[in-house]
Amino acid sequence: MSGDDEDYVYDEDSGEWMPASELAAKQTASDQIEVRDAVGNILADGDQVTLIKDLEVKGAGQTLKQGTLIKSIRLTGDAQEIDCRYPGIKGLVLRAEFVKKR
């Protein structure tokens, strides 16, 4: 018997059994999703972005024009969506492909 007392758990992604600590480290690394803007810059919480094209906001009856500054974005955990605040629009979510980091 080996001196390894660690529990093994099944990783559904790879279909393999691995030590529990290794699976936990792998899941932590995968939780950190890179969100990139239209030109490839990495976005982070609190960044300011500008729109690269006019966007019609569904449900608000409003169009955000190209060049509009969005302050203090928040990442959502989705690689393509960012949470934003803009005056007059509640719960605004933009796709990262339509913004450029300032």
Side-chain angles (χ1 to χ4, degrees):
M1 182 163 250
S2 70
D4 189 12
D5 292 334
E6 189 165 8
D7 291 333
Y8 277 74
V9 291
Y10 185 72
D11 178 22
E12 293 183 18
D13 292 338
S14 67
E16 299 174 353
W17 288 90
M18 59 177 48
S21 60
E22 194 175 307
L23 180 62
K26 179 180 169 187
Q27 288 173 339
T28 301
S30 68
D31 288 344
Q32 298 169 348
I33 297 172
E34 278 189 359
V35 180
R36 294 184 179 266
D37 69 2
V39 293
N41 297 321
I42 295 177
L43 298 174
D45 286 340
D47 282 348
Q48 292 185 357
V49 296
T50 54
L51 299 181
I52 62 167
K53 68 179 262 180
D54 291 356
L55 296 175
E56 188 177 316
V57 182
K58 294 178 183 175
Q62 191 174 350
T63 299
L64 296 176
K65 299 289 183 192
Q66 178 178 348
T68 301
L69 176 66
I70 305 290
K71 297 179 181 179
S72 192
I73 65 167
R74 231 179 47 225
L75 303 181
T76 62
D78 184 321
Q80 276 302 309
E81 292 182 351
I82 55 174
D83 207 7
C84 310
R85 285 192 181 157
Y86 190 77
I89 302 174
K90 193 172 189 173
L92 179 63
V93 176
L94 295 174
R95 300 217 14 112
E97 65 192 279
F98 299 126
V99 300
K100 184 170 83 172
K101 186 174 180 176
R102 238 184 113 129

